[in-house]
Amino acid sequence: MNRKKIIIDCDPGQDDAVAIMVAGKNPTLEILGITVVAGNQTLDKTQKNALSIVDYLGLDIPVYAGCTRPMVRDRITAADIHGESGLAGHTFGPCKKQLEKQHAVQFIIDTLLHAEDPITLVPIGPLTNIAMAMRLEPKIIDKIERIVLMGGSYGLGNVTPAAEFNIFADGDAAHVCFTSGVPITMVGLDVTRQALCNSKIIERMSKIQNKATALFLDLMNHYCKVQKEIFNLDGGALHDPVVAAYLIDPSILVTKPMNVEIDIRGTQSYGRTNCDYFSYLKKEPTADVAVEIDVEKFWDIVEQEFHRYDRT
Ligand code: RIB
Ligand code: CA
């Protein structure tokens, strides 16, 4: 079977960790590498978290450290959600896995330039690594099959009223990506906020006894608590895993082509994904934006992928 070749770019992050769990053993995906970026926490922490997750799950996937800060704006983190470590809720044992020597941006460039088959980029954190790769080597733009990203929203933001964290954390990088001409699927808060890990989901997943669900339950214990405290959500919104599930079964989402422009000049609305839902401006679409999610099918995929760790 021709597996879909992907590079996951992430900033672990509890939901990043679950996205890696969901994608990690799926037989239809070939994860060429995991690249790490500063986002939920500083790069020294997100890179350590990515290594720990891959090592703990026993996944044979190389991990590359990327950019330590956004392209232009000042760096922010989401320690209030993800904790000081960036992966609050679970303490890993000693990690045997080491970072690859190559910088993540160079890995993305070299992999795309030498690729014979199409490659999908899967950023689930700020877009700094992706944008820097495009600026450093524009030849890669025609080699990217599609960018399937978690980020943005045509509705409310989560880090400001206007903006979602991954875009807000590096709006300029998002602008580079959304103006590149590369086909984009934007999986935003509009659908990911419906993927709520509530008590029923916790009960359902706790029936699966393996190391993946043990880690999942630890992480959700922290993540769901803070999401309730901060957003009064009836469970932790599992943003990044929606992207992983979509790659496995695109039928979980309905998307709509829209012109999406990133506000990089605003003050209150910096980092907003301005999505022309009604195509009122008659501009060319720049992304396929997720507008509906089959939440039941999403959780079925998560459960199915967790079971792949039963015999490990
Ligand atoms: O807004 C949600 C996104 O920001 C997720 O990717 C989460 O991990 C954080 O990076
Ligand atoms: Ca993330």
Side-chain angles (χ1 to χ4, degrees):
M1 163 206 328
N2 264 344
R3 298 194 294 165
K4 180 189 254 320
K5 293 184 185 324
I6 68 173
I7 294 173
I8 296 177
D9 188 74
C10 58
D11 61 334
Q14 286 85 355
D15 59 327
D16 302 71
V18 181
I20 293 168
M21 279 184 217
V22 169
K25 283 185 173 293
N26 183 268
T28 68
L29 301 176
E30 183 181 354
I31 306 174
L32 302 176
I34 290 178
T35 52
V36 194
V37 68
N40 285 323
Q41 260 298 354
T42 51
L43 181 71
D44 58 314
K45 294 176 180 177
T46 54
Q47 71 186 33
K48 180 171 175 287
N49 293 339
L51 284 171
S52 297
I53 294 159
V54 172
D55 188 49
Y56 172 88
L57 294 173
L59 300 174
D60 182 17
I61 304 171
V63 177
Y64 300 82
C67 296
T68 60
R69 54 180 312 105
M71 294 178 86
V72 177
R73 60 154 296 154
D74 54 318
R75 184 176 64 195
I76 60 166
T77 65
D80 57 337
I81 305 265
H82 298 273
E84 271 318 299
S85 70
L87 211 48
H90 184 88
T91 305
F92 291 93
C95 176
K96 296 179 290 301
K97 196 166 183 67
Q98 302 283 315
L99 284 171
E100 301 299 314
K101 298 245 176 313
Q102 197 174 36
H103 191 282
V105 171
Q106 198 57 56
F107 165 73
I108 292 169
I109 291 169
D110 292 354
T111 306
L112 285 164
L113 287 184
H114 298 112
E116 282 160 18
D117 300 321
I119 293 176
T120 297
L121 300 185
V122 184
I124 51 177
L127 291 161
T128 317
N129 287 340
I130 313 296
M132 289 298 284
M134 288 181 176
R135 281 294 189 258
L136 196 56
E137 182 43 88
K139 289 197 198 84
I140 65 170
I141 288 174
D142 291 339
K143 301 280 290 191
I144 303 170
E145 166 83 0
R146 179 167 280 268
I147 294 173
V148 181
L149 65 90
M150 192 280 138
S153 78
Y154 54 85
L156 295 175
N158 61 353
V159 66
T160 71
E164 176 279 327
F165 178 81
N166 286 342
I167 309 297
F168 182 75
D170 195 342
D172 305 280
H175 172 77
V176 169
C177 293
F178 278 80
T179 55
S180 68
V182 171
I184 291 176
T185 299
M186 179 183 122
V187 182
L189 297 174
D190 318 284
V191 295
T192 63
R193 271 189 173 131
Q194 298 174 53
L196 290 184
C197 179
N198 57 29
S199 53
K200 283 203 187 71
I201 296 298
I202 294 290
E203 189 190 344
R204 175 175 172 183
M205 300 305 168
S206 58
K207 292 192 174 83
I208 307 168
Q209 306 274 320
N210 64 38
K211 61 182 171 184
T213 51
L215 176 57
F216 173 78
L217 294 169
D218 278 355
L219 295 176
M220 290 303 104
N221 187 36
H222 166 85
Y223 187 68
C224 298
K225 190 162 64 64
V226 293
Q227 293 259 328
K228 177 71 179 170
E229 287 162 5
I230 296 174
F231 300 110
N232 196 28
L233 288 175
D234 177 27
L238 281 188
H239 306 289
D240 296 338
V242 174
V243 171
Y246 172 76
L247 291 167
I248 293 166
D249 179 355
S251 72
I252 70 161
L253 296 179
V254 173
T255 62
K256 180 179 165 65
M258 297 185 202
N259 178 268
V260 180
E261 293 185 359
I262 313 298
D263 182 341
I264 52 173
R265 296 283 177 266
T267 45
Q268 290 91 335
S269 56
Y270 171 89
R272 178 154 184 79
T273 48
N274 284 313
C275 303
D276 188 358
Y277 188 96
F278 300 105
S279 189
Y280 187 71
L281 301 176
K282 302 282 180 284
K283 289 183 176 179
E284 275 304 300
T286 54
D288 295 312
V289 179
V291 294
E292 282 174 42
I293 180 172
D294 182 332
V295 177
E296 260 190 54
K297 197 180 268 191
F298 166 72
W299 289 118
D300 289 347
I301 291 169
V302 172
E303 184 177 41
Q304 159 195 295
E305 295 310 314
F306 279 178
H307 272 300
R308 293 193 199 280
Y309 295 86
D310 284 346
R311 279 162 296 287
T312 56

